[in-house]
């Protein structure tokens, strides 16, 4: 390796400060270095694999050759620390802070309401900041590209985009950008002209001044210009890193160490090391070998250095396009298109062309194009240099190429195309951006002269085998023949026969993938025909070329009601106040649990989980784990001094399994070590012996067959359903399956348990929605009274129902370690662990029988629901009850019967999730109504309208209510969305387009607010006024992005008649407000807001004598006087909540305080051949009463809608046949990204709505809008129906949720789908279970 014995010193800059690291460990990433060594915690851990963008930083480097400075965004979780020698890193702390100045990016995202839970916000800021360093006046496309690799689970992205949009010069003066309102460009007048309220005022924003950005460290420039580069060596605990500076030395190093990986972008090696536990004793970094970065042009094409990043390759090829005629750049354009699809901007900034090729992924985006385009690689080794064509012989097996281990790819040759040569690339992926492809292809054809006779053809596919595959037989069927329907028709048959894919192939989706190979060839055919016409090669009438789906995001509308003119300017209630923590969230100063500084002697806990779904534990061998460096102890069930299980509804859930496991991912024991890395290694070393038990149950169908249920099963009925079925004109039966959904809160489950040091007292810091449950669970686990345990919650980085029951179990296990070791113990789950362990939304099977009249009236419905509860009861029985309570949805069905069963299976226990069963319940009902409309051949909105509640109404559980606001939302949404004329336009579009279809749907929701369990509706608060007049408010709600602290601050401000700036909310803790209820059921502000209101009323009343004595005094003078007159300046407030109940024996009750109503209208465009779609426009009208804070409420509506869009169209949990969750991170599990935002996204809050049942006439809003995401599902179903009609298929059809590209493509039943033979169920073991 290096002749030097001592390792070198790593030198780089962070936020303008020099960092020298004497003992840089090659296994250390920049993320862990920033967070653990430098305590720069603004950069977040979200996934650890470069898939979420929470850890985005900017890296700047001085380019000696061009004497320029480059800035690029990168994922700190993938950046090896040792790779940063000579670089300057900027983190969110270096961009701006509350102590210095805010950067315009930070200010605009915050004030545009683009930060809710805030965990993703620093990454968003850094992606946008880096873009502005390179493009101070970016185009909208630049912004969406920059943000494509940053995930957000809260906001729905619209406010983030709107904040960033203000930097676009061409849009900067548009009135739409100014926080909502009509647009003069669309024929409307500027919103300001009518005084319509806006969410933010862009005129308040500080201008962007690029001259004020920090300079690149001059020392790094000087060092680069004056010092001679030399080989660097860094040695860590288990790994050595060598960075040579010459190609000759690199070749020698590789010759001596052929198995040592070459690390450049670390986008392939990094995930292998992290997720598969691969250890490389030596890594070679050729990042300073200049020969790998040379780019040259030759008469035949271009030579691109293998070390060039994909973004550099893209930029270079884009420049080449401008220099040459179109006929010479066919391959370049196809490559540029595919490069844009590889990962995110952060990935493309570091991943290299050579690395991408040699990774040899079977679904590679680039390799099929390189192979079809006759590209070559130049490889060098100690044996010399050789040119190797990238073709079918280059890729020998999964992840392997024909190159020898010691060969290094130096450059890639990409040839010019020639006249008559056409190259195209196509791909389909689970999500439009930042997603591995399902199937990719590169296709090239050369025509003889100006004829249509094929001289050469080359077709390669990715995603249909262990390597990319050449369709050689298909090419042979085309070559020398004229390009015609006859030739292509034969080619489709040959291709189908040539590319066989076994039904149990890894990755599944076999029929879909095979159909895509045909569809892509057909798309290529259409493209080629257009090109031939342009060449005058043919004059026939051509089939329509398939245009890409629309993609430009428009500025949306957000309409809400002005506050009353009589309201004081100082009263913030009803105004769009910025989230109270938004600024600190954009600067990275907001503290989340894992940002709490490490304590002296603190240990880290890593969990050991079951690898079997249904087995006895035969042995637990911890000996190897205890021998590893840093491992301190192993925690098992025997160490628990108190209760070893948590009880719910008469069922026990063990904290740590002792004799038997009932799912993959069940907690068995925990390893305690001095560092995170050591704990993780220790957990991997624990060996568990199993004896499998027979007949595991995974699916709902298996549970039904074996009567595996959690009791009780519930039933509800009104009218006489059986009798009614005898009187109807028609009866229809159907079913729909709704898949589960991972919470994917950006901050994983996190807790820190600290022994206080005496009287067995513990402080528990937890990311939980229910601090009291954590307090009780820890107390019971340690067999101590609750008064010895205090639980503290500052803020939560997203929760959505997933941080209630499981958090209490994880905190209990962590507390046992803290008790046993008598020191602070931290437990922070990695993303994959979190997804494996914590469960998800319940998958549901809904079966229905519906009776209706020919005029569309639904007279009777009988619905059976089955939920997949998993291995423990958790909250599944409550979810099941809520499913039945919402099965009427917005519809008055006179004879209605519902039954529900929670199935007990051997999957991780499913739990609460935003909506708590309602999104599944109502989708079944809406699908039933959709079927009725299809049977009657009538528009679905007519059937919905006929069936809606009207006038004074009574639910199926005998609760009286008025549907007036529901009907107002419906009518207003139809008007705002211009529903009638757009439906006609959709029909016209569908008549004119064979392979693209549009669909429309309008869907209502009536959502019950509060807990049916009455005791959970109480709220409490404690308010202190200090002598300087400042106010501290504590209440029982936890802040998880929903803005409860902001709304509470507004309440206190109104009641005390003081500005919000004087009011502070520090945290939620059980020692200030005891016996709290969970922040859930959209009831947090309702309960705690009233409690705070009462406490403030008490205090204001106690100050009345002081005010009367000095009516012109200031607030501060009154408070001081009250203190000297010995008047209490502290008060509690308590709200007992509504008395709600449900009597299941009588099938009646009042389980909800009131209803929040809403309606969503959606238009989509679908690519029939691939299943890709785009939401063209969404209009939502929501009844939120009198909004306490329109910006928060609109943010909740948009965020919930996007989460619903994910549930119904995108997010798919995949389990192996043995019950292992495959989808354990953002690379496998796709939540909506910026590319999924509706292109037109309009939200209108219903005006003049009042609600006497909640504070200031407001309504709970956190959950109801999630179901409105189903409007996308039903719009897609409408588009699929239009596609099916082209094949002569009419009437109801099955489309399960989520409506993924695969399901929609298969349902469209195109000619290419029909060509693919379906595999017979039961004749093979599928790759994944249908859960």
């Amino acid at each position: 390796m290096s002749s030097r014995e001592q390792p070198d010193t790593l030198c780089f800059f962070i936020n303008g400060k020099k960092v020298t690291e004497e003992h840089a460990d090659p296994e250390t990433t920049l993320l862990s270095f920033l967070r653990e060594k430098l305590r720069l915690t603004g950069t977040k851990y979200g996934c650890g694999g470069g898939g979420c963008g929470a850890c985005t930083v900017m890296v700047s480097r001085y380019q000696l050759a061009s004497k320029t400075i480059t800035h690029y965004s990168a994922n700190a979780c993938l950046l090896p620390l040792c790779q940063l020698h000579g670089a300057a890193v900027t983190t969110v702390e270096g961009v701006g802070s509350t102590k210095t100045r805010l950067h315009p990016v930070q200010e605009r995202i915050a004030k545009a309401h683009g930060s809710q839970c805030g965990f993703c916000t620093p990454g968003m800021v850094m992606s946008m900041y880096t873009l502005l360093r390179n493009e101070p006046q970016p185009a909208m496309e630049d912004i969406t590209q920059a943000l494509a690799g940053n995930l957000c689970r809260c906001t729905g992205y619209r406010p983030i985009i709107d904040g960033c949009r203000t930097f676009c010069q061409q849009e900067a003066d548009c009135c739409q950008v100014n926080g909502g309102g009509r647009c003069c460009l669309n024929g409307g007048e500027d919103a300001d002209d009518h005084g319509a309220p806006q969410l933010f005022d862009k005129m308040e924003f500080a201008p962007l001044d690029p001259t004020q950005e920090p300079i690149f460290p001059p020392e790094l420039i000087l060092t680069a210009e004056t010092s001679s580069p030399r080989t660097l060596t860094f040695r860590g605990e288990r790994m050595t890193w060598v960075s040579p500076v010459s190609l000759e030395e690199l070749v020698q190093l590789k010759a001596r160490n052929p198995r040592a990986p070459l690390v450049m972008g670390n986008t392939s090696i990094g995930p292998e090391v992290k997720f598969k536990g691969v250890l490389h004793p030596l890594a070679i970094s050729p990042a300073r070998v200049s020969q790998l970065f040379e780019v040259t042009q030759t008469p035949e094409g271009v030579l691109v250095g293998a070390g060039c990043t994909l973004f550099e390759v893209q930029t270079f090829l884009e420049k080449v396009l401008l220099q040459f005629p179109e006929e010479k750049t066919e391959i370049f354009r196809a490559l540029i298109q595919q490069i844009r699809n590889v990962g995110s901007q952060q990935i493309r900034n570091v991943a290299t062309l050579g690395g991408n090729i040699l990774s040899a992924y079977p679904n590679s985006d680039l390799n099929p194009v390189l192979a079809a385009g006759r590209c070559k690689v130049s490889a060098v080794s100690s044996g010399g240099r050789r040119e190797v064509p990238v073709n079918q012989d280059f890729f020998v097996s999964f992840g392997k190429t024909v190159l020898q281990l010691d060969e290094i790819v130096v450059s890639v040759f990409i040839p010019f195309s020639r006249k008559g040569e056409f190259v195209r690339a196509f791909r389909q992926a689970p999500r439009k951006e930042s997603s591995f492809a399902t199937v990719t292809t590169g296709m090239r054809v050369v025509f003889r002269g100006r004829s249509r006779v094929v001289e050469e053809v080359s077709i390669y596919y990715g995603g249909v085998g262990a390597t990319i595959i050449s369709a050689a037989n298909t090419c042979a069927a085309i070559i020398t023949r004229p390009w015609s329907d006859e030739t292509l028709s034969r080619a489709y048959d040959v291709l189908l026969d040539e590319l066989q894919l076994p039904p149990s192939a890894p990755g599944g989706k076999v029929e879909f993938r095979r159909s895509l190979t045909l569809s892509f060839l057909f798309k290529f055919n259409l493209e080629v025909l257009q090109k031939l016409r342009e060449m005058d090669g043919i004059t026939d009438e051509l089939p329509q070329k398939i245009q890409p789906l629309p993609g430009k995001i428009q500025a949306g509308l957000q309409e809400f009601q002005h506050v009353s003119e009589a309201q004081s300017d100082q009263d913030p209630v009803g105004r769009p106040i910025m989230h109270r923590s938004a600024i600190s969230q954009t600067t990275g100063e907001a503290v989340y649990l894992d940002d709490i500084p490490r304590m002296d002697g603190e240990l880290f806990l890593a969990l050991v989980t079951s690898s079997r779904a249904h087995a006895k534990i035969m042995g637990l061998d911890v000996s190897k784990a205890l021998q590893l460096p840093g491992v301190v102890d192993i925690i098992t069930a025997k160490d628990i001094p108190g209760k070893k299980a948590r009880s719910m509804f008469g069922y026990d859930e063990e904290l740590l399994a002792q004799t038997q496991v009932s799912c993959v991912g069940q907690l068995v024991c925990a390893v305690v070590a001095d560092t995170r890395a050591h704990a993780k290694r220790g957990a991997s070393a624990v060996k568990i012996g199993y004896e499998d038990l027979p007949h595991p149950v995974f699916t709902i169908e298996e549970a039904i067959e074996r009567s595996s249920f959690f009791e009780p099963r519930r039933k509800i009925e009104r009218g006489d359903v059986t009798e009614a079925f005898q009187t109807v004109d028609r009866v229809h039966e159907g079913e729909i399956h709704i898949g589960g959904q991972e919470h994917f809160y950006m901050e994983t489950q996190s807790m820190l348990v600290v022994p206080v040091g005496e009287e067995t007292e513990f402080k528990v810091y937890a990311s939980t929605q229910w601090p009291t449950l954590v307090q009780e669970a820890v107390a019971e686990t340690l067999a101590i009274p609750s008064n010895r345990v205090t639980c503290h919650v500052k803020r939560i980085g997203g929760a959505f129902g997933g941080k209630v029951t499981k958090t209490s179990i994880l905190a209990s296990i962590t507390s046992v370690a803290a008790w046993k070791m008598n020191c602070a113990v931290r437990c922070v789950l990695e993303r994959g662990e979190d997804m494996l362990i914590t469960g998800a939304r319940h998958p549901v099977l809904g079966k229905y029988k519906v009776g209706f009249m020919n005029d569309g009236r639904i007279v009777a419905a009988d619905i059976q629901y089955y939920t997949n509860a998993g291995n423990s009861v958790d909250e599944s029985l409550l979810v099941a009850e809520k499913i039945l309570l919402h099965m009427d949805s917005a519809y008055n069905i006179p004879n209605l019967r519902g039954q529900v069963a929670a199935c007990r299976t051997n999957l991780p226990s499913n739990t609460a999730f935003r909506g708590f069963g309602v999104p599944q319940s109502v989708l079944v009902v809406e699908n039933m109504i959709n079927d009725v409309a299809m049977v009657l051949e009538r528009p679905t909105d007519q059937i919905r309208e006929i069936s809606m509640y009207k006038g004074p109404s009574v639910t199926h559980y005998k609760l009286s209510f008025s549907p007036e606001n529901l009907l107002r939302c419906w009518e207003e949404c139809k008007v705002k969305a211009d529903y009638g004329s757009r439906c006609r336009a959709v029909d016209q579009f569908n008549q004119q387009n064979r392979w693209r279809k549009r669909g429309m749907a309008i869907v209502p929701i009536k959502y019950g607010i509060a807990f049916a369990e009455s005791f959970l509706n109480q709220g409490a608060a404690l308010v202190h006024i200090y002598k300087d007049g400042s106010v501290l408010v504590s209440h029982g709600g936890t802040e998880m992005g929903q803005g409860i602290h902001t709304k509470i601050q507004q309440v206190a401000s109104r009641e005390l008649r003081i500005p919000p700036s004087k009011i502070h909310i520090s945290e939620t803790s059980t020692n200030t407000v005891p016996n709290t209820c969970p922040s859930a059921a959209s009831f947090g502000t309702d309960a705690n807001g009233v409690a705070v209101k009462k406490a403030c009323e008490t205090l204001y009343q106690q100050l009345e004598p002081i005010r009367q004595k000095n009516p012109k005094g200031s607030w501060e003078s009154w408070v001081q006087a009250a203190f000297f007159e010995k008047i209490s300046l502290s008060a509690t407030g308590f709200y007992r909540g509504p008395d709600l109940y449900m009597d299941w024996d009588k099938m009646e009750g009042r389980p909800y305080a009131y209803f929040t109503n809403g309606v969503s209208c959606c238009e989509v465009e679908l690519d029939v051949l691939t299943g890709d779609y785009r939401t063209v426009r969404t209009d939502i009208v929501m009844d939120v009463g009198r909004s306490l804070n329109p910006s928060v409420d609109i943010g909740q509506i948009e965020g919930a809608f996007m989460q619903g869009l994910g549930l119904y169209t995108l997010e798919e949990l995949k389990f192996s046949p043995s019950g292992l969750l495959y989808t354990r991170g953002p690379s496998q599990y796709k939540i909506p990204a910026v590319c999924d935002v509706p292109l037109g996204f309009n939200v209108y809050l219903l005006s003049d709505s009042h609600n006497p049942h909640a504070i200031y006439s407001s309504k709970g809003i956190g959950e109801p809008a999630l179901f409105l995401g189903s409007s996308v599902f039903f719009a897609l179903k409408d588009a699929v129906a239009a596609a099916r009609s082209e094949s002569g298929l009419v009437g109801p059809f099955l489309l399960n949720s989520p409506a993924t590209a695969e399901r929609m493509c298969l349902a469209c039943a195109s000619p290419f789908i029909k060509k693919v033979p379906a595999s017979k169920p039961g004749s093979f073991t599928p790759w994944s279970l249908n859960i």
Side-chain angles (χ1 to χ4, degrees), residues 578-855:
M578 178 177 65
H579 191 293
R580 67 179 304 278
S581 299
I583 295 293
S584 59
Q585 287 166 190
T586 60
T587 62
E589 293 165 272
V591 177
Y592 298 83
L593 190 133
D594 200 31
D595 300 338
I596 297 171
R598 185 175 175 140
M599 300 185 180
D600 188 39
E602 180 182 304
L603 299 175
F604 194 88
L605 180 137
L607 296 159
V608 178
T609 57
S610 164
S611 59
R612 303 292 175 88
H614 189 41
K616 290 181 182 176
I617 296 176
M618 305 307 293
L620 187 65
D621 182 1
V622 300
S623 57
K624 286 186 179 176
L626 288 170
Q627 291 168 13
L628 291 175
V631 174
V632 177
D633 205 350
I634 311 290
I635 305 297
T636 67
K638 293 175 184 175
D639 294 306
I640 300 172
K643 287 188 178 179
K644 299 183 190 300
R646 300 288 301 151
S647 294
M648 284 192 80
F649 307 107
Y651 294 92
D652 282 351
E653 180 175 0
E654 287 183 301
L655 299 181
L656 294 169
Q658 298 182 76
T659 60
Q660 193 170 316
V661 291
S662 52
C663 74
V664 176
Q666 187 170 348
L667 307 177
V668 178
C669 64
V671 175
V672 185
D674 59 348
T675 68
R676 205 176 298 242
H678 286 154
K680 186 181 171 186
R681 285 175 210 155
S684 299
V686 172
K687 302 299 176 193
I688 306 171
Y690 299 100
E691 181 186 306
D692 285 327
L693 294 168
H695 311 306
V697 175
F698 296 122
T699 68
I700 288 172
E701 290 78 5
E702 289 170 345
I704 295 169
E705 185 184 330
R706 296 177 196 168
S707 296
S708 179
F709 303 113
F710 288 109
E711 300 293 345
R713 287 175 266 177
R714 296 297 191 193
K715 178 182 176 182
I716 195 166
E717 183 172 3
R718 78 158 163 204
D720 190 330
V721 175
T722 307
E723 175 65 28
F725 276 126
Q726 307 301 316
T727 65
V728 297
D729 293 337
R730 304 199 194 193
V731 174
H732 172 75
E733 293 188 43
E735 68 177 48
I736 185 171
H737 194 291
I738 302 115
Q741 184 181 28
E742 163 61 31
H743 299 85
F744 214 97
Y745 27 69
M746 295 305 295
E747 176 199 33
T748 59
Q749 298 275 355
S750 309
M751 52 229 57
L752 171 64
V753 181
V754 185
V756 172
E758 59 178 305
E759 299 190 54
T760 59
E761 193 178 333
F762 291 84
K763 287 186 177 179
V764 181
Y765 300 89
S767 180
T768 178
Q769 295 170 246
W770 198 355
T772 292
L773 182 65
V774 169
Q775 176 193 32
E776 290 171 356
V778 168
E780 289 179 4
T781 302
L782 299 181
I784 57 177
S786 288
N787 63 5
R788 308 293 171 85
V789 180
T790 58
C791 183
H792 304 261
V793 181
K794 180 77 175 174
R795 61 171 55 81
I796 308 170
F800 314 112
K803 291 181 176 176
V804 182
T805 53
K806 278 294 186 290
T807 313
S808 66
I809 288 172
L810 294 167
S812 298
I813 296 167
T814 309
S815 72
V816 173
W819 169 79
K820 185 179 180 184
M821 313 311 300
N822 196 33
C823 66
V825 176
R826 186 182 304 241
C827 176
V828 178
L829 297 192
E830 297 202 341
R831 178 63 61 188
E833 290 179 301
D834 193 298
M835 294 181 75
L836 178 71
I837 292 167
T838 60
R841 186 188 295 280
H842 291 72
V844 167
L845 172 63
K847 298 186 173 188
Y848 48 83
K849 179 180 178 183
V850 57
F852 50 99
M853 310 306 287
N854 288 329
D855 63 5

Side-chain angles (χ1 to χ4, degrees), residues 218-259:
E219 182 182 331
L220 292 180
I221 298 176
L222 190 65
T223 302
E225 302 231 335
T226 58
S227 63
S228 300
R230 59 179 179 79
T231 299
L232 296 173
T233 304
F234 305 107
R235 292 190 182 89
E237 188 179 331
R238 308 187 302 168
M239 184 177 175
T240 299
W241 177 283
V242 181
S243 176
V245 292
S246 71
L247 183 59
E248 183 184 0
E249 189 184 356
L250 175 62
V251 169
Q252 291 172 0
L253 261 173
K254 192 63 173 156
R256 293 197 300 269
N257 306 279
R259 295 196 172 276

Side-chain angles (χ1 to χ4, degrees), residues 113 115-117 153-156 158-159 579 800 914 1039-1044 1047 1082-1083 1085 1180 1182 1184 1187 1189-1204 1241 1243 1245 1259-1268:
H113 315 289
S115 184
Q116 289 185 18
C117 89
R153 199 55 155 160
C154 295
T155 64
R158 194 275 313 160
H579 191 293
F800 314 112
R914 193 181 201 170
E1039 176 58 66
M1040 48 192 160
Q1042 84 281 39
I1044 189 171
K1047 288 183 173 180
S1082 305
F1083 203 67
T1085 301
I1180 297 173
M1182 206 79 197
V1184 300
S1187 174
N1189 186 326
S1191 65
V1192 169
D1193 287 346
I1194 289 171
Q1196 286 291 287
I1197 292 164
E1198 292 169 335
F1201 173 86
M1202 287 300 291
Q1203 213 167 45
F1241 199 0
V1243 177
L1245 300 188
K1259 286 190 173 185
I1261 192 56
E1263 295 171 292
L1266 189 139
F1267 173 71
L1268 296 182

Side-chain angles (χ1 to χ4, degrees), residues 1259-1292:
K1259 286 190 173 185
I1261 192 56
E1263 295 171 292
L1266 189 139
F1267 173 71
L1268 296 182
S1270 71
S1271 60
V1272 183
F1273 176 89
F1274 288 109
L1276 287 167
K1277 195 167 185 181
D1278 187 43
V1280 170
R1284 289 168 63 84
S1285 68
E1286 298 270 7
S1287 301
L1289 300 171
V1290 294

Side-chain angles (χ1 to χ4, degrees), residues 47-66:
C47 70
C52 73
C55 65
T56 303
V57 297
M58 183 177 84
V59 181
S60 306
R61 288 189 182 274
Y62 179 68
Q63 305 298 331
L64 185 60
S66 60

Side-chain angles (χ1 to χ4, degrees), residues 10 331 337 469 527 663 712 862 1080 1093 1222 1299:
L10 181 70
I331 301 169
Q337 174 192 320
I469 292 175
E527 296 262 352
C663 74
D862 188 358
K1093 180 175 183 285
Y1222 284 134

